[in-house]
Amino acid sequence: MTFIETIKKINDRSLRLTVIGGGYVGLPTAALFANAGFHVDVSDIKPEIINMINTGSNFVNEPGLRDIVSNNVKVGRLFARLNNVDYEGTNVFLIAVQTPMDEEKKPNLKYLLKCMEDIGKNMRRDTVVVVCSTIPSGTMMRELKPTLESLSGLRADSEFYLVFAPERIAPGKALIEFTNGTRLIGGIGPNSTQVGAELFKTVCKNVLFTDATAAEVAKLAENTFRDINIAFANQLALLCEELHTDVMTVIRIANTHPRVNIHSPGPGVGGPCLTKDPYYLLDGIAAPHFDIITTSRAINDQMPEHVVTLVLRALSNIGKNPAKSRITILGVTYKKDTDDLRNSPAEPIVRSLVSLHSEVVVFDPYCINESFGAKRAQSLFDAVTGSDCIVIVTDHSDFMNMDLQKIKTVMKNKSIIIDSRRIIDPNYAEKAGFRYYGVGLGM
Ligand code: SAJ
């Protein structure tokens, strides 16, 4: 097959795809390519993922995804296989396996390298290999290209194609961001970029041609930029608490400047990306003398403890003992209106309060199975009844318009709200009879 024939076969959908990893990134990827007309196999090491896909259900809670999965399974375009390494017949590999960070904050690429080994040993001429997993800068040229070349005996960019096409989808908006957002296509050479772009054009409205290393750095830079911006907002919040002013007012008025866009402070940064990508950006780079990146990580990582400090200060101001107080945590997920618990700042907040022997009760309408060692309530009213203090940890829509007057009637006297997300109007809370404390609100 020539380069031109590969492009033609993408456009007539006659290439067969295997997506390795059927999780948060792999499943939407597989579903959308199947929906675009390709035959797609998903390979995963977890039997529950295989069963869920093949029965037309799915575990990734993304609007619209279940229907696309089940429709394409029904018509036979999407199929999942357990740990499938029978790559006979696969023309395109899309790799979406996890690339987790270890305890020393170093990248663990063992799943990705295992994929490379399996693919490299089995691939033929004209195979297309696309890496979607997040990887440290330089991995494609330094590690993946030579590995595939030596295992296959083929030359990259002329005899097979190798592309880095990072995912940039936010949980809860995966399908819309996948199809409408700009997809970076970074080939290890011009032919790879061209083939990758042609492939992604079948599902994405906008593709951007670049090279593999630029795409790697850009992917990591996006999340690092966001983490640094949030760290700045958090530092401003702490500063405003000392200066007895309100960070929300400060940010709102500063953001009226046409070139300023300060993010929001909060209880800390969670999720799988912003907590990891800054370290991947720095991986393998000589430690710089001044480093805004790890400093920002440290600022964001201290925010859960700051929320606990606010709780203790608020209780102490009214003479209540934390060990004799009932504390209600609203929200356990790291992100609003999702069921995603990964690296949620709720976990250190809850565990710290439990360790102080407070009676901690959590309620999250999106996630009723996890409580990080605290009690679990089935409803908002169960959670607040008899409580001394409400701590808002996740900015779920459900918590934005709570009837505080009604809630106050079932709480203990001198009740407190700690609003780590600043989603409640302090005047409204105080009118309802609460003592209100917010991250970044100096009193
Ligand atoms: N957060 C704040 N203040 C803010 C914004 C967010 O405290 O102003 C917190 C959130 O509450 C959350 C954390 O930051 O705990 C991360 O949430 P997020 O919405 O910033 O991002 P993720 O991790 O869900 O998704 C990010 C996105 N990247 C960017 O927005 C640059 C997404 O587009 C990426 O696809 C995703 O990382 C990824 O997979 O890399």
Side-chain angles (χ1 to χ4, degrees):
M1 202 163 40
T2 62
F3 170 73
I4 300 291
E5 276 171 300
T6 302
I7 302 279
K8 191 172 159 292
K9 281 175 175 281
I10 290 172
N11 289 321
D12 66 20
R13 310 293 193 263
S14 58
L15 294 185
R16 213 178 152 110
L17 277 50
T18 291
V19 174
I20 309 178
Y24 287 86
V25 174
L27 185 52
T29 305
L32 289 169
F33 276 105
N35 213 40
F38 290 98
H39 183 104
V40 183
D41 287 315
V42 179
S43 170
D44 201 290
I45 51 173
K46 292 189 185 154
E48 62 274 22
I49 290 186
I50 303 303
N51 288 338
M52 277 190 264
I53 296 173
N54 287 338
T55 55
S57 54
N58 67 70
F59 70 100
V60 178
N61 190 9
E62 282 294 341
L65 184 58
R66 184 184 293 261
D67 284 350
I68 300 186
V69 169
S70 66
N71 292 343
N72 283 283
V73 167
K74 259 188 227 140
V75 298
R77 271 200 304 264
L78 182 62
F79 193 74
R81 295 166 207 273
L82 185 62
N83 206 7
N84 177 37
V85 284
D86 171 18
Y87 293 146
E88 193 58 39
T90 296
N91 309 104
V92 179
F93 293 93
L94 291 138
I95 301 161
V97 295
Q98 64 272 50
T99 46
M101 189 168 68
D102 69 16
E103 275 164 18
E104 270 88 52
K105 307 205 182 296
K106 291 278 165 209
N108 171 353
L109 301 183
K110 73 175 179 190
Y111 303 100
L112 178 65
L113 294 176
K114 171 76 171 65
C115 291
M116 289 298 140
E117 201 183 307
D118 294 337
I119 295 169
K121 281 184 192 154
N122 293 296
M123 78 189 201
R124 291 160 304 169
R125 266 189 82 106
D126 303 310
T127 298
V128 183
V129 182
V130 182
V131 177
C132 304
S133 314
T134 301
I135 48 179
S137 323
T139 306
M140 293 289 287
M141 297 305 278
R142 198 176 49 233
E143 240 173 296
L144 306 190
K145 176 176 175 274
T147 301
L148 287 180
E149 283 182 327
S150 80
L151 288 170
S152 67
L154 299 169
R155 268 176 306 131
D157 213 44
S158 53
E159 294 174 313
F160 72 94
Y161 307 104
L162 178 58
V163 185
F164 180 56
E167 64 80 18
R168 302 162 100 191
I169 48 182
K173 293 188 201 150
L175 297 189
I176 190 92
E177 292 203 350
F178 196 115
T179 48
N180 289 356
T182 299
R183 188 81 185 205
L184 304 185
I185 307 291
I188 50 85
N191 293 333
S192 298
T193 304
Q194 186 72 45
V195 167
E198 215 55 39
L199 179 70
F200 275 89
K201 269 192 215 159
T202 64
V203 283
C204 303
K205 286 194 184 139
N206 308 299
V207 298
L208 190 151
F209 290 59
T210 183
D211 64 75
T213 308
E216 288 170 331
V217 179
K219 162 69 198 176
L220 298 169
E222 290 160 14
N223 284 341
T224 304
F225 167 78
R226 192 158 166 84
D227 195 50
I228 292 171
N229 195 329
I230 298 166
F232 179 62
N234 282 330
Q235 176 142 28
L236 274 184
L238 301 184
L239 189 146
C240 286
E241 285 178 24
E242 280 199 29
L243 290 171
H244 306 288
T245 187
D246 186 353
V247 73
M248 300 313 279
T249 306
V250 169
I251 292 175
R252 181 171 49 76
I253 60 182
N255 282 351
T256 60
H257 187 290
R259 288 177 293 283
V260 174
N261 174 25
I262 306 170
H263 289 10
S264 307
V269 165
C273 308
L274 272 60
T275 52
K276 173 186 85 167
D277 291 0
Y279 296 112
Y280 281 28
L281 184 58
L282 290 174
D283 188 63
I285 306 296
H289 201 56
F290 297 110
D291 171 17
I292 191 174
I293 298 173
T294 37
T295 304
S296 299
R297 285 276 65 244
I299 292 172
N300 290 333
D301 280 348
Q302 71 171 347
M303 292 311 289
E305 209 42 51
H306 180 66
V307 174
V308 173
T309 304
L310 289 181
V311 173
L312 299 184
R313 192 182 301 156
L315 288 171
S316 147
N317 284 350
I318 50 167
K320 287 193 181 179
N321 177 350
K324 292 191 178 145
S325 301
R326 182 175 159 105
I327 299 172
T328 303
I329 303 290
L330 295 185
V332 287
T333 66
Y334 90 87
K335 191 165 172 134
K336 77 178 279 185
D337 299 350
T338 73
D339 61 356
D340 200 327
L341 291 165
R342 291 175 290 172
N343 300 319
S344 176
E347 178 163 8
I349 293 173
V350 170
R351 292 201 190 282
S352 178
L353 291 169
V354 168
S355 76
L356 294 168
H357 307 291
S358 302
E359 184 192 357
V360 185
V361 185
V362 307
F363 173 65
D364 190 317
Y366 288 85
C367 180
I368 48 168
N369 300 322
E370 183 55 79
S371 61
F372 303 127
K375 290 184 185 165
R376 223 168 28 222
Q378 297 303 320
S379 71
L380 178 61
F381 272 85
D382 278 354
V384 295
T385 300
S387 180
D388 296 282
C389 174
I390 292 175
V391 187
I392 299 173
V393 176
T394 314
D395 45 349
H396 289 314
S397 308
D398 299 54
F399 300 147
M400 293 201 175
N401 297 306
M402 294 186 292
D403 184 344
L404 293 186
Q405 258 134 1
K406 199 164 157 206
I407 288 174
K408 176 83 182 68
T409 61
V410 296
M411 287 184 63
K412 296 243 185 74
N413 63 342
K414 301 191 197 165
S415 33
I416 298 164
I417 288 185
I418 311 287
D419 183 2
S420 78
R421 294 285 184 173
R422 304 300 308 273
I423 56 172
I424 304 281
D425 177 356
N427 293 326
Y428 170 56
E430 267 153 27
K431 265 197 201 124
F434 283 92
R435 287 160 169 77
Y436 177 95
Y437 294 78
V439 164
L441 179 64
M443 312 272 269

